[in-house]
Amino acid sequence: MANYENRFFALFKGLALLKKVGKPRPVSDVEKIVSSPDSRVKLKITLRQGHLSYSIFKDGSTIIGTSKLGFKFKNFTPLGDHLALVRATEKSVDETWETVWGEEHFIRDNYNELTLYLSETTKENRLFTLRFRVFDGGVGFRYELPPQPAFSRVEIEDELTEFNVDLSSDSWSIPAYQPDRYEYNYEKKPVYELDRPVHTPLTIALKNNYYISLHEAALYNYGEMTLKLDEWKALKSDITPLSDGIKARVELPFNTPWRLIMIADSPIGLTKNHVMLNLNDPPVEDFSWVRPLKFLGIWWAMYVGEWTWASGERHGASTSHALEYIDACRRLGIKGLLLEGWNDGWDGDWLENGRTTNFLRPMPDCDLPGIAAYAAKNGVSLIGHHETVGFVDNYEAQLDSAYKYYASLGIEYIKPGYAGSMMSIQGNREFHHSQLGVLHYQKSLELAAKYHICLDVHEPIKGTGIERTFPNLLTREGARGQEYEGGALSPSHACILPFTRLLSGGMDYTPGIFDIKNDVKRLSSTLARQLAYYVTIPSGMQMAADRPRFYEEVNPDVFKFIRDVPVNWETSHPLMGKIGEYYVVARKDRDSDDWFIGGVTNENAHKVRVSLDYLDDGASYTAEIYRDHETAHFRDNPLGIKIETTTVTKQNFLDIWMAPGGGFAIRLKKNNTE
Ligand code: NOJ
Ligand code: CA
């Protein structure tokens, strides 16, 4: 956010520009075309009779038909009519940058940019800028509002951006403005049925066989963009309002988040798209201290009713349980431990208690400093938990002291949670994904960075790639995860996520439940599929979510995969997939020569032929294959698993059968050539 000095400087620059430009000669009927570096994607921008619109094509086929741009403000006339082009600039960028962690070590940022400096032809004579970037993988654009004398603080009533796609195309969406935030099952329906707002990424299979996902990048200080058909049947941005109906209050200069259209030739092509991250800025400080992590948790034992968050005989986060779990971490080779229910707030009605929860007061049977010291001695990082229930006022009053407290104990990871249906901010009930919600998430992220703390945010704001700028945001939830097992998750869910939610970044899905047949939380999954998730659902923090005894006593051979699988990747090769049906991906470890492959299917069995042509030339690999047994089935025989070992080279294929609700995981360990 610009500080006072920066704003003053920008205002000065804006005035200088206005002076230089003078009263622009109206330039009407302008048409500009920008192509992607491979020339297949074309963006057309048209200024006709003062109205600006854009459209997008791939290989000559329409991706986005003519779509409007502009704003409505409180106390000002709308911006978007009566425009004239003052100046247009173009540039091309082709750079490669290194990630701190993630699905790729190096990412190429390659685009052609067009910037339009516009001015109104009316007496208001306001200025605004539109910046477009055209990549091989899609298009990003944003509005930039420079400071100007009579127009410096604005209340945005509506953003008019449209995305006119073929209405008969199928789409996969979750509803917006709902009490469970992003935690819904995806619905497949034609775009013409999207008359209620949906969250992005909104993935669409166009009738001309291109696949697109509409989303946004770099969401700061603004309401999240949801999408909905307007009364004219245009798919339009619907910015999440504040409690008084205003979409965002901003001071100029202000740049909106990037509006993003990812474009691919196939569903699997969509899953290797780095435009969102490329539209975010590099970090401004050193984040080399950030460490991706695998962790156990005092957690699933609560979900299956063995332990409780609340105090009492079965209290989960007691000192003795924590020490037991730290010992288990050491034995299992897992470097992190999540501690839920350690502090005040869980007794009685925890959803109401959030108003006054104290984030510095451990439960009487939880010696947090003692646990932290024991964890440090054993090389285990604790993940502290903050369940705010959305009571942001209460949380923000303690934010600095709560983070400082963890930092003083050497706790370098926090899982904040916002389980309420709304947030309570400045005494009002606000949507999690409103501008005030976005500002809160950002405040806690920046404060965490100050204390060198990494976050795994539950009930978060959706991902828009800001982890490029703040890599201490290691992961987030923001979709239905395994805690919804026990009836509310179907096997197709994990076959939809890679093409929708995961386009916005990694997810803490909490994989690795081995106690699949548990009466309280019966999973719709086979055992092999639990391993697949570590590859199909990337996350900078990856949980081994079950209780340690299931790993150590029940299935130690199966657990080996969880111990071996990394959380940080050198590169990723999505191999095949159909939205809601199946998905297979291969990823190379960032710290070794090993490759890992994961695959999942929906409620139908599916056979795949997995190619290995990305392996090193001339090298042989030991393939450790964890696959569904021929008799496996997520309902009848979920534990049926086969572990096989074979030697392969890049010339081989692996034929793998996935059971209904099943999956597979493979480790390819490179053999020494000597
Ligand atoms: C919802 C979170 O997703 C879950 O992980 C957590 O255990 C509960 N809230 C309680 O904080
Ligand atoms: Ca949740």
Side-chain angles (χ1 to χ4, degrees), residues 275-504:
V275 177
M276 179 185 74
L277 285 175
N278 280 330
L279 289 171
N280 277 272
D281 291 331
V284 288
E285 36 184 297
D286 173 39
F287 280 94
S288 58
W289 50 270
V290 168
R291 300 262 171 274
L293 185 74
K294 265 183 286 185
F295 62 105
L296 292 181
I298 294 193
W299 189 70
W300 196 247
M302 273 94 92
Y303 273 92
V304 294
E306 279 175 11
W307 292 348
T308 58
W309 280 272
S311 64
E313 266 177 25
R314 290 187 297 119
H315 179 221
S318 65
T319 307
S320 59
H321 289 153
L323 301 193
E324 249 172 55
Y325 267 51
I326 291 168
D327 288 342
C329 282
R330 202 192 51 235
R331 291 192 302 269
L332 289 165
I334 298 290
K335 296 265 179 276
L337 175 65
L338 165 68
L339 216 57
E340 286 208 10
W342 69 273
N343 69 319
D344 174 59
W346 293 97
D347 290 343
D349 185 350
W350 67 276
L351 288 167
E352 268 303 301
N353 297 347
R355 294 177 188 284
T356 55
T357 292
N358 187 313
F359 297 96
L360 289 112
R361 193 185 301 146
M363 298 256 203
D365 64 346
C366 177
D367 169 19
L368 192 63
I371 296 168
Y374 191 69
K377 201 170 102 196
N378 284 282
V380 172
S381 298
L382 289 184
I383 297 131
H385 185 228
H386 284 162
E387 179 49 79
T388 70
V389 203
F391 287 100
V392 168
D393 288 339
N394 177 49
Y395 190 40
E396 284 204 357
Q398 303 173 59
L399 204 59
D400 191 65
S401 48
Y403 284 21
K404 204 182 270 167
Y405 176 54
Y406 275 153
S408 74
L409 296 174
I411 297 178
E412 296 164 327
Y413 298 84
I414 303 180
K415 173 181 170 183
Y418 298 85
S421 60
M422 296 289 279
M423 281 182 157
S424 164
I425 310 182
Q426 295 165 18
N428 294 316
R429 281 165 62 77
E430 306 285 353
F431 288 110
H432 287 61
H433 48 294
S434 64
Q435 181 188 21
L436 287 176
V438 169
L439 283 168
H440 166 71
Y441 290 113
Q442 190 59 28
K443 183 173 185 174
S444 66
L445 178 60
E446 290 182 25
L447 190 67
K450 183 176 140 198
Y451 288 112
H452 282 201
I453 287 174
C454 295
L455 297 185
D456 167 4
V457 187
H458 276 234
E459 297 79 38
I461 184 66
K462 74 182 179 189
T464 57
I466 63 168
E467 57 273 26
R468 176 175 179 191
T469 317
F470 299 95
N472 62 317
L473 178 52
L474 274 176
T475 190
R476 51 172 88 71
E477 188 196 34
R480 258 182 199 202
Q482 288 221 117
E483 65 194 44
Y484 279 84
E485 287 285 12
L489 275 192
S490 79
S492 62
H493 184 62
C495 303
I496 299 175
L497 291 176
F499 307 96
T500 53
R501 159 68 182 79
L502 298 179
L503 302 180
S504 70

Side-chain angles (χ1 to χ4, degrees), residues 16 96 216 232 254 267 369 386 400 465 485 489 491 515 517 612 618 647:
T96 295
E216 59 186 311
W232 315 108
F254 180 75
H386 284 162
D400 191 65
E485 287 285 12
L489 275 192
D515 182 17
K517 292 185 176 151
L612 303 174
T647 303

Side-chain angles (χ1 to χ4, degrees), residues 106-166:
F106 295 99
I107 293 182
R108 184 171 175 197
D109 186 14
N110 185 201
Y111 60 84
N112 293 322
E113 179 180 280
L114 171 73
T115 308
L116 300 179
Y117 298 88
L118 300 146
S119 166
E120 289 178 303
T121 52
T122 53
K123 67 173 181 350
E124 272 114 335
N125 202 212
R126 290 171 298 183
L127 301 170
F128 91 113
T129 302
L130 266 164
R131 191 178 298 276
F132 296 92
R133 289 186 183 166
V134 185
F135 302 76
D136 294 347
V139 174
F141 63 88
R142 74 176 182 197
Y143 302 89
E144 301 179 354
L145 300 171
Q148 30 210 308
F151 190 60
S152 60
R153 260 165 220 266
V154 296
E155 297 185 310
I156 296 172
E157 279 187 335
D158 201 7
E159 182 188 311
L160 305 174
T161 312
E162 292 175 348
F163 303 87
N164 276 314
V165 295
D166 179 344

